[in-house]
Amino acid sequence: MAQRPPPAERALEPREWPEYDPYPSYWEMLQYIQQTFAKEWVNRASSNYWVQDFANDWSSLSAVGLQDMWRILIVAFVFTLLRSQLNAWVLKPLAASLRIRRADYQKFPEGMFKFTYYSITVSYATYILFGMGETYFGDPALIWKGWSSRMPIQPETYGLYILQMGFYVHAVYGVLVLDARRKDTFVMVLHHILTLLLMGFSLAVRTHRIGVVVLFIHDIEDIFLEGGKLAMILRYRGKSFDQICDHISTLCFVLFMVSWFTLRLVLFFRYVLYVSGHMLIVIVPNGPFYGFFNFLLFSLYLMNIYWFQFILLAAVKILGGTRIQDTREEDSDDDDEDADGADHDVSAAKDVKEAMPGQSARQTTNRRTRASKDK
């Protein structure tokens, strides 16, 4: 069985730029990935590789220091503090002034915060990819050209990494404590942890180019998601305004569904999974953390497929004439209280209409209450 050379003897770059197919079909990409996986499994299946050599890779290639970790934790703390202050002094008072429904009162600050954050990060990543000449969408194999575990990282890219990692550390706390409870809360926490692992290791071994592509692909859809949710929250203000909100939420949902399928399922396969699962070995033989990186990336891809089922479910309901809503939401006590309040209002109105002359609506209501207790 082939033995992998020790870290000190590994060639991190090929002597010549190898020949490859820059534009294979999706079926060909799947075959290339499968063949590379099978080959690497044989080459890397020596005894104790998956534990011992993993530790060797980290000790010999890691470029992340304690200073980087402190910066990430500081950014996470700033996000937590900033969000709490914005909620207390800006977003919750704004929700109260807009008379946001009780069931949506907690969701409004969450949606506003995330909509603003993702708009900023997408603009930032777009500038790095297209404004600084770092685009790899023409030939994704260029992600690995000139790669070295000690290659310098541009300040703008480093800043994006620290910002995003700090946000996802905060997001784990936010999902568990601050955000509204959803059916996919566990999957969301797992997603954030996987994202932190991917970003941390890619920063450590300087595979940040593909990391920026992953961040760009995944953040665009969240703008449409949060924008559509805000439009849904702002409904219930009159027929004409509700129609405007419905049109906005429908447009956001269409853009969200199309961008999710195009970016997270189609382009993610070509520009991330194919690049990491096959082109990494073509350009950088014996690339570090090959199995670990691809396990995390394919796990992220499966999560994207899992969440796409919620999108399709929402699309089916919309085609059936149902208003757009987040199908991940769990039934909350607030929703029940709103429903009870609505029922109470309808009942009270009926009592007023049915009250006999000389009797007040309150007397009729009390009579019905006593009758229900007797039952």
Side-chain angles (χ1 to χ4, degrees), residues 2 28 46-47 53 70 98 101 133 161 221 231 246 258 268 282 285 344 356 362 372:
E28 291 173 332
S46 57
S47 60
D53 277 14
W70 274 113
L98 293 174
R101 289 193 318 156
Y161 258 74
E221 303 86 350
D246 283 338
V258 172
F268 185 81
V282 172
H344 174 75
M356 298 296 291
R362 183 182 298 276
S372 63

Side-chain angles (χ1 to χ4, degrees), residues 121-251:
T121 56
V122 167
S123 302
Y124 194 178
T126 302
Y127 168 71
I128 292 175
L129 284 174
F130 303 102
M132 296 175 55
E134 292 289 325
T135 181
Y136 311 104
F137 289 102
D139 185 357
L142 294 177
I143 285 176
W144 303 118
K145 187 173 184 179
W147 176 84
S148 167
S149 62
R150 301 295 177 180
M151 68 185 297
I153 180 172
Q154 293 180 317
E156 294 84 357
T157 303
Y158 180 79
L160 178 63
Y161 258 74
I162 298 300
L163 178 69
Q164 288 276 37
M165 293 184 72
F167 173 78
Y168 278 107
V169 171
H170 156 78
V172 173
Y173 168 77
V175 169
L176 294 175
V177 178
L178 301 177
D179 298 347
R181 199 72 176 175
R182 297 183 175 90
K183 298 176 184 178
D184 65 342
T185 294
F186 172 77
V187 180
M188 187 67 73
V189 172
L190 183 61
H191 166 270
H192 294 342
I193 294 175
L194 285 178
T195 302
L196 285 169
L197 287 173
L198 276 169
M199 295 188 68
F201 274 85
S202 65
L203 181 64
V205 298
R206 294 300 187 251
T207 57
H208 49 272
R209 292 172 177 171
I210 194 171
V212 175
V213 174
V214 173
L215 293 172
F216 175 78
I217 286 176
H218 278 76
D219 282 358
I220 294 178
E221 303 86 350
D222 289 318
I223 297 176
F224 302 132
L225 173 63
E226 300 302 335
K229 288 165 65 175
L230 288 173
M232 291 189 293
I233 290 172
L234 291 172
R235 291 184 304 200
Y236 311 105
R237 301 171 185 282
K239 186 176 181 180
S240 59
F241 191 82
D242 283 5
Q243 289 177 346
I244 294 175
C245 290
D246 283 338
H247 291 325
I248 294 175
S249 61
T250 300
L251 175 62

Side-chain angles (χ1 to χ4, degrees), residues 21-74:
D21 183 1
Y23 304 108
S25 66
Y26 278 86
W27 175 247
E28 291 173 332
M29 284 191 291
L30 184 61
Q31 290 180 314
Y32 289 148
I33 294 173
Q34 183 181 6
Q35 293 169 4
T36 305
F37 273 8
K39 179 182 177 181
E40 291 301 308
W41 179 264
V42 173
N43 290 341
R44 299 167 183 252
S46 57
S47 60
N48 296 327
Y49 165 73
W50 298 111
V51 177
Q52 181 178 348
D53 277 14
F54 183 92
N56 291 338
D57 278 347
W58 178 256
S59 62
S60 63
L61 298 177
S62 174
V64 171
L66 186 61
Q67 188 178 31
D68 302 303
M69 297 181 183
W70 274 113
R71 288 171 179 168
I72 293 168
L73 292 176
I74 290 173

